[in-house]
Amino acid sequence: MHIYQGKSVLEGVAIGPLRLMHSQKPTITDAKGEGAEKEEAKFRAAQQKAVSILQKLYESALSSVGKSDAEIFAMHIDMTEDLDLEDAVIDRIKQGANAAYAVKEAGNEIAKTFAQMEDEYMQARSVDVLDVCNRLCNCILGIEEESVRLSTPCILAASDLTPAQIMQLDKSLVLGFVTARGSNNSHTAILARTLSLPSVVNTQTEIPEKFDGCLCVIDGFTGKVYINPDEATLQQYKQKQTELLAEREMLASLKNAESVTKDGKKTAILANVGRSLECDVAIESGAEGVGLFRSEFLYLESTDYPTEEAQFAEYSAAVQKMQGRPIVIRTMDIGADKQAKYFQLPPEENPALGYRSVRICFDRPQILKTQLRAIYRASAFGNLSVMIPMITSLQEVRFVKALAEEVKKELSQEGVAFRADMPIGIMIETPAAALIADELAKEVDFFSVGTNDLTQYTLAIDRQNQALEKFYDPRHKALLRLIRFAADAIHAQGKWIGICGELARDLTLTEFFLKIGIDELSVSAPYILPLRKRVQSIDTRSVLLETWL
Amino acid sequence: MITFEYIITDKEGIHARPAGQLIREAKKYASSVTIRCKDKTADAKRLLAVMSLAAKCGDTVTVNCEGADEEVAAVNLKAFLQANL
């Protein structure tokens, strides 16, 4: 048994015969060219040919891996035609170099500048430059790009693989790959993840010829590659592979299942999203709705206050994508760690306890009014609710409700469609809100606990201060008691309470949340199915609250 | 000449694929377009130059459009940045 250690690209296990791929580098000499004019013409012709090859790859990628990954090839076209590269090549040709040598040298020089950058991601881009230049050289020398013909399923081993080589493979026959070079950030790695190929890169040493055809195991969790594994190792990975498959199928089967405990307690599992684009992923991931739509990006990605129209476009798109499923938009939560320059917020000694969210809107009601108008208009398109963050008092709630009334009146007068009974909820992020939940419940329709802030404010721990990490205990009894206290008070008024903070995805707390009757859990998309599985495994009758409180 | 500032919010910065889209957008205009990030300036129609800026999330870039269609170029480039970066 031989073991190689590389870097994991995608978690998973692949088992199959190894197939070694050779990539022959074209021989390029510094022989004198046939004169600048002729060499330049060769280079231009090669550019055109390379672009047409890439164009085909782009189209094939578009249909097999989608727009985002296909952009790799569009970017390679841009690089092939890049004026800086062109200048560097033509310069060398004018000094007498042959076209291929000029491209190789220019490419090496540009690749070097990327390789020397500080940023690891940009370093990986030197590979793209070399790939593009290598293709140009092949086109100049009339060498056809080699594509690997596979006839049986196998694990590929190569010194390195380019995105183009990956695209040209028969994907139904590739189980995974291992390369001696390459990085986790390469476009090859990105494609491998999209194609779900368990792979390992950067093993440093090349796998020798003699292993061609040998049985190989790729452990995409640890980055280990086993060649000729012993019986025990092989069995271990076969079992792991079976388990992974079963797990995946089991989770997939939960996509449209209800989130019900063994004793019949129903909760709902929704998604936290940051923009309307993510709504598709949320539904795809089995979300029963969107429990938290953060509207901050509209403010953070803008150089001025976002207009009502811009907001309406985004909110109505999100509501429509949810096709009748519930969606909760949280009004802007700017301030503290989320700053937008144009708000021109004064610097603060203690921003977490400072001027943020609804507190800013008290002084600048127009900001919230514009947002509420956009949200009310979007409410006509589906099952929308609005939620206000950072509430500490009844006065704040009444202020927002008065503003909402004003907006509704204006919209009616303008004859604009909206849902007059759109539910209004608030976040429980402060101990104050939890402790007066009974009074707040008389004013609003629902609640959602933001556990990150609630932990920070309850335990007096600044989330941004890393030195305090060891004191940050999200299972602190104080916190769990506050949540339970609020839940009881809210249920007593016939209102509902959800959890949308990070704690919602902690599977060890799920039984506690269900026991106190939390009505919905909202988590980011990848956590939805594992959470649903957890809910279905719980019998709340056997959960003892005392152990938590 | 029209100049505007934009703060990069994409968590990977102006990485390769969006850089490609950005230069294709810039190439649509006759105006010359430059992007400045920290102390480096790049021709926005040149991919390698734009990538070399290594603009990261949170960096402020200054975009400068100059030429006959500078107004429409500035508006569209700003919209492009907001939607993609």
Side-chain angles (χ1 to χ4, degrees):
Chain A
M1 177 164 77
H2 290 79
I3 305 172
Y4 292 84
Q5 177 72 56
K7 288 180 181 154
S8 157
V9 165
L10 178 79
E11 295 188 338
V13 170
I15 304 173
L18 198 63
R19 167 85 188 267
L20 259 73
M21 245 180 86
H22 310 279
S23 57
Q24 60 223 67
K25 288 256 176 265
T27 354
I28 296 170
T29 68
D30 60 355
K32 214 168 165 4
E34 300 173 48
E37 210 169 297
K38 271 197 168 168
E39 294 299 326
E40 186 175 334
K42 280 191 209 168
F43 169 63
R44 304 265 177 212
Q47 263 184 323
Q48 280 184 15
K49 187 166 175 215
V51 167
S52 82
I53 293 171
L54 287 164
Q55 192 65 44
K56 286 198 191 101
L57 284 167
Y58 174 76
E59 279 152 25
S60 118
L62 205 54
S63 59
S64 61
V65 290
K67 177 106 171 62
S68 165
D69 285 2
E71 275 295 324
I72 294 167
F73 299 103
M75 187 269 292
H76 280 189
I77 292 177
D78 298 324
M79 215 180 253
T80 305
E81 295 177 322
D82 184 75
L83 294 172
D84 289 320
L85 174 65
E86 209 172 280
D87 290 349
V89 171
I90 303 291
D91 266 358
R92 285 173 169 80
I93 287 178
K94 282 189 175 142
Q95 286 161 25
N98 69 63
Y101 188 70
V103 170
K104 186 183 161 199
E105 289 291 297
N108 285 345
E109 190 181 292
I110 294 167
K112 211 168 125 192
T113 61
F114 277 106
Q116 285 167 349
M117 284 186 171
E118 270 173 40
D119 179 341
E120 216 173 293
Y121 176 82
M122 291 319 285
Q123 286 171 10
R125 301 291 70 83
S126 66
V127 179
D128 291 284
V129 176
L130 293 175
D131 181 17
V132 160
C133 290
N134 195 40
R135 180 174 299 102
L136 278 169
C137 288
N138 284 339
C139 291
I140 292 169
L141 301 168
I143 300 169
E144 289 293 322
E145 255 176 79
E146 41 182 344
S147 62
V148 194
R149 299 251 169 271
L150 302 173
S151 49
T152 49
C154 65
I155 290 172
L156 277 181
S159 170
D160 204 355
L161 287 167
T162 65
Q165 284 171 317
I166 297 272
M167 274 324 295
Q168 288 161 331
L169 293 168
D170 181 344
K171 263 76 78 185
S172 64
L173 295 175
V174 182
L175 306 167
F177 64 78
V178 44
T179 63
R181 296 187 285 133
S183 81
N184 244 330
N185 288 324
S186 71
H187 283 128
T188 302
I190 291 172
L191 281 172
R193 285 190 278 266
T194 303
L195 295 166
S196 309
L197 292 175
S199 301
V200 167
V201 297
N202 208 276
T203 54
Q204 310 275 348
T205 39
E206 308 255 344
I207 293 177
E209 185 76 23
K210 62 175 180 186
F211 289 138
D212 192 34
C214 292
L215 189 61
C216 174
V217 171
I218 287 182
D219 181 342
F221 294 91
T222 60
K224 280 196 165 60
V225 179
Y226 302 84
I227 295 173
N228 290 330
D230 56 37
E231 198 49 35
T233 308
L234 183 61
Q235 285 314 321
Q236 179 200 331
Y237 279 104
K238 276 190 173 165
Q239 189 178 345
K240 176 105 184 160
Q241 203 176 30
T242 317
E243 283 167 14
L244 286 171
L245 195 68
E247 169 90 8
R248 200 159 52 208
E249 279 173 5
M250 203 276 303
L251 287 181
S253 74
L254 292 180
K255 230 178 89 172
N256 300 311
E258 284 195 321
S259 311
V260 188
T261 64
K262 280 185 177 162
D263 52 322
K265 267 203 174 186
K266 245 176 98 172
T267 184
I269 300 175
L270 295 87
N272 293 344
V273 302
R275 51 186 75 212
S276 62
L277 280 176
E278 294 168 19
C279 289
D280 300 323
V281 182
I283 296 174
E284 192 52 37
S285 308
E288 291 166 61
V290 166
L292 171 65
F293 179 101
R294 301 184 180 91
S295 59
E296 282 78 63
F297 88 95
L298 284 161
Y299 295 84
L300 295 174
E301 295 183 8
S302 171
T303 45
D304 203 347
Y305 294 104
T307 61
E308 180 183 325
E309 284 314 312
Q311 295 191 55
F312 170 68
E314 178 65 17
Y315 304 150
S316 57
V319 173
Q320 288 178 66
K321 276 172 192 263
M322 294 315 291
Q323 300 162 9
R325 296 178 185 84
I327 166 167
V328 177
I329 294 179
R330 179 177 73 188
T331 58
M332 74 105 196
D333 193 11
I334 297 296
D337 55 334
K338 284 172 273 185
Q339 292 287 342
K341 261 191 212 161
Y342 57 89
F343 271 74
Q344 298 184 327
L345 299 177
E348 293 180 80
E349 284 283 321
N350 205 345
L353 297 178
Y355 198 51
R356 57 180 288 199
S357 316
V358 82
R359 298 175 177 180
I360 300 173
C361 299
F362 246 81
D363 301 328
R364 310 183 196 178
Q366 194 53 46
I367 300 176
L368 187 56
K369 205 169 159 188
T370 305
Q371 184 168 30
L372 286 174
R373 276 185 63 100
I375 295 173
Y376 267 106
R377 285 172 58 194
S379 71
F381 296 88
N383 188 355
L384 184 59
S385 306
V386 64
M387 179 161 74
I388 318 295
M390 267 310 280
I391 292 292
T392 56
S393 71
L394 275 174
Q395 181 203 3
E396 289 155 353
V397 172
R398 288 183 182 140
F399 160 76
V400 174
K401 282 177 70 183
L403 217 52
E405 285 308 316
E406 231 176 89
V407 164
K408 286 199 273 188
K409 210 167 125 194
E410 280 177 18
L411 291 175
S412 308
Q413 279 165 359
E414 294 163 27
V416 178
F418 66 97
R419 256 187 68 189
D421 61 347
M422 175 174 70
I424 298 180
I426 59 171
M427 299 270 300
I428 296 187
E429 292 171 288
T430 60
L435 292 168
I436 59 166
D438 55 340
E439 291 182 25
L440 293 168
K442 291 180 184 136
E443 296 283 338
V444 300
D445 303 303
F446 68 93
F447 295 79
S448 191
V449 185
T451 53
N452 302 354
D453 272 323
L454 188 58
T455 312
Q456 145 165 299
Y457 294 132
T458 305
L459 304 182
I461 285 177
D462 182 351
R463 275 155 60 190
Q464 311 294 322
N465 188 340
Q466 293 192 344
L468 296 176
E469 233 166 74
K470 57 179 174 291
F471 300 107
Y472 188 90
D473 175 14
R475 301 147 157 280
H476 196 293
K477 280 185 181 175
L479 191 68
L480 301 184
R481 285 183 192 178
L482 272 176
I483 296 174
R484 187 207 182 183
F485 181 85
D488 287 349
I490 290 160
H491 287 142
Q493 303 285 335
K495 304 290 167 73
W496 64 267
I497 173 173
I499 293 184
C500 65
E502 260 167 52
L503 227 47
R505 69 179 194 225
D506 183 338
L507 300 182
T508 61
L509 281 169
T510 314
E511 56 178 38
F512 169 75
F513 292 143
L514 293 177
K515 184 75 179 180
I516 63 172
I518 295 297
D519 301 278
E520 69 168 53
L521 296 165
S522 194
V523 294
S524 34
Y527 300 99
I528 291 172
L529 294 180
L531 182 56
R532 185 164 297 143
K533 181 187 165 198
R534 176 71 186 128
V535 168
Q536 291 185 344
S537 74
I538 290 171
D539 188 331
T540 60
R541 289 168 301 192
S542 60
V543 178
L544 294 172
L545 268 189
E546 299 71 47
T547 56
W548 295 96
L549 304 169
Chain B
M1 188 175 82
I2 299 178
T3 303
F4 67 87
E5 281 190 354
Y6 177 75
I7 302 167
I8 305 294
T9 56
D10 186 292
K11 64 180 191 309
E12 290 177 30
I14 304 188
H15 54 115
R17 283 170 280 170
Q21 292 171 306
L22 174 62
I23 65 143
R24 266 169 266 144
E25 182 64 36
K27 280 179 177 174
K28 289 182 191 163
Y29 310 100
S31 298
S32 75
V33 184
T34 61
I35 301 183
R36 194 174 77 234
C37 178
K38 283 165 271 181
D39 53 343
K40 284 199 272 186
T41 303
D43 179 342
K45 298 178 184 181
R46 295 184 176 217
L47 177 68
L48 292 164
V50 171
M51 282 167 65
S52 300
L53 294 175
K56 292 195 189 63
C57 185
D59 284 351
T60 302
V61 293
T62 310
V63 180
N64 198 339
C65 306
E66 189 164 12
D69 54 359
E70 60 187 28
E71 276 173 34
V72 52
V75 169
N76 289 335
L77 283 165
K78 193 169 176 179
F80 172 85
L81 288 167
Q82 282 169 355
N84 296 284
L85 286 158

